[in-house]
Amino acid sequence: PFCRRYVAGGRCKSTARLEGKVVIITGANTGIGKETARDLARRGKVIIACRDIAKGEAAASEIRAETGNQQVIVKKLDLADTKSIREFAEKFLAEEKELHILVNNAGVMLCPYCKTADGFEMHLGVNHLGHFLLTFLLLERLKQSAPARIVNVSSLAHHGGRIRFHDLHGEKSYNRGLAYCHSKLANVLFTRELARRLQGNCVTANALHPGSVYSELVRHSFVMTWLWKIFSFFLKTPCEGAQTSIYCAVAEELDSVTGQYFSDCQPAYVSPRGRDDETAKKLWSVSCELLGIQWD
């Protein structure tokens, strides 16, 4: 029916092959990450980077069986722990000589107040700082493998976010819905500043909104889980939700497009806060400070 087609949104029509190319997708053991991995595994080598190895292996063996591609590999990565991120990057760099596409897909949503292993508020720590550090550690390999792409899964929720530098870790006040929005705004600002810094390197960085997807992401909220079930007809399936991630990863027409934000496989409106270059630069330097890295 038309209504269902409307909900499904844009589809990635690209048939681009990725033979000889290497893709990393974070959080690809479930939801849109898994569907992104399923599609890209039909094109080339995919590394599923996730916290739960058992779930990751289950997803990978299903994808291998379906695509016939044996090069679907699972590696442990816990974005809530910088030690795990550094170990993942170190192993990857030792084993793989190239990296062409990095999809920063993993995320947490609506979790009760808690902190990562390094003392960061969970949404900011996983959704922004974890991917910020991962990208930093893998960037030289992406540059060496250029043309390469970085794809950051953000959300329409970035419209409700603001970067609260005075209370980044929500210690003064915390609202889990807003904490999610803030972290998704951080994804948009990171993408913008990263693209600016990468100009002339043949490495692009784009962000996207996958749509409202029927997935496990709302598991921390009883009310949202209940609403999601009732309104599931009006939500995208994970496969439909993955289309814009896939599009940003492979579409030929995006070869030199960078610093943009997409939804339904087309450019989308970014909130004024998401276009604030001063905030983007400040967030960059504060993120480096928090992670103890120098990224010039």
Side-chain angles (χ1 to χ4, degrees):
F2 169 76
C3 173
R4 191 62 219 124
R5 277 206 307 278
Y6 176 76
V7 169
R11 285 196 78 78
C12 175
K13 297 184 178 78
S14 168
T15 55
R17 305 291 306 157
L18 299 172
E19 275 102 356
K21 303 220 166 157
V22 181
V23 182
I24 292 176
I25 308 171
T26 67
N29 56 327
T30 177
I32 64 172
K34 181 178 170 186
E35 295 307 321
T36 306
R38 192 192 306 273
D39 180 284
L40 298 186
R42 293 196 179 96
R43 307 168 191 253
K45 179 172 185 170
V46 173
I47 292 165
I48 291 177
C50 62
R51 196 181 48 194
D52 188 327
I53 291 289
K55 274 190 183 169
E57 281 300 349
S61 63
E62 181 189 312
I63 292 168
R64 282 185 218 117
E66 191 181 310
T67 61
N69 180 1
Q70 294 313 300
Q71 290 199 302
V72 181
I73 298 155
V74 180
K75 298 282 180 201
K76 185 167 175 65
L77 170 67
D78 183 354
L79 287 157
D81 184 351
T82 57
K83 192 163 152 283
S84 170
I85 299 168
R86 288 179 180 282
E87 279 168 10
F88 168 85
E90 208 173 298
K91 279 197 184 121
F92 173 83
L93 295 171
E95 288 165 13
E96 299 286 344
K97 293 294 156 257
E98 294 191 297
L99 174 59
H100 303 88
I101 301 167
L102 170 61
V103 183
N104 288 319
N105 161 84
V108 294
M109 180 180 180
L110 303 175
C111 36
Y113 189 75
C114 56
K115 288 187 168 174
T116 68
D118 303 86
F120 308 140
E121 186 276 314
M122 192 59 76
H123 291 91
L124 186 81
V126 171
N127 299 356
H128 168 60
L129 292 168
H131 283 127
F132 187 94
L133 179 60
L134 180 66
T135 307
F136 167 73
L137 295 170
L138 299 175
L139 193 63
E140 280 313 307
R141 190 59 40 98
L142 282 156
K143 284 181 184 171
Q144 290 159 10
S145 314
R149 300 185 187 193
I150 298 162
V151 178
N152 295 325
V153 178
S154 178
S155 167
L156 184 67
H158 84 269
H159 286 274
R162 53 176 19 171
I163 306 300
R164 302 168 69 246
F165 290 109
H166 65 287
D167 188 24
L168 270 183
H169 303 296
E171 284 154 335
K172 297 191 179 90
S173 73
Y174 179 74
N175 172 302
R176 57 192 187 167
L178 288 176
Y180 177 71
C181 295
H182 303 332
S183 72
K184 293 287 122 182
L185 173 60
N187 293 154
V188 172
L189 291 168
F190 168 47
T191 305
R192 191 177 178 88
E193 180 64 9
L194 180 61
R196 191 184 69 78
R197 288 163 175 260
L198 284 175
Q199 271 165 350
N201 275 296
C202 292
V203 180
T204 63
N206 290 298
L208 66 105
H209 167 54
S212 299
V213 181
Y214 192 71
S215 77
E216 290 177 19
L217 203 55
V218 293
R219 63 184 173 271
H220 291 293
S221 165
F222 172 74
V223 175
M224 286 288 278
T225 305
W226 184 69
L227 285 170
W228 245 224
K229 280 203 168 69
I230 293 173
F231 294 107
S232 61
F233 183 76
F234 298 102
L235 296 169
K236 291 186 178 190
T237 63
C239 178
E240 290 160 354
Q243 294 303 311
T244 308
S245 297
I246 298 161
Y247 174 75
C248 289
V250 301
E252 297 88 340
E253 63 266 33
L254 299 188
D255 276 346
S256 56
V257 174
T258 190
Q260 300 300 308
Y261 170 76
F262 294 86
S263 176
D264 279 328
C265 302
Q266 55 190 8
Y269 179 73
V270 177
S271 76
R273 287 198 187 106
R275 286 173 281 156
D276 186 329
D277 290 329
E278 287 316 299
T279 307
K281 290 186 175 97
K282 186 174 176 186
L283 178 64
W284 186 282
S285 64
V286 168
S287 300
C288 287
E289 263 167 58
L290 288 168
L291 292 162
I293 58 176
Q294 288 232 274
W295 189 353
D296 302 322

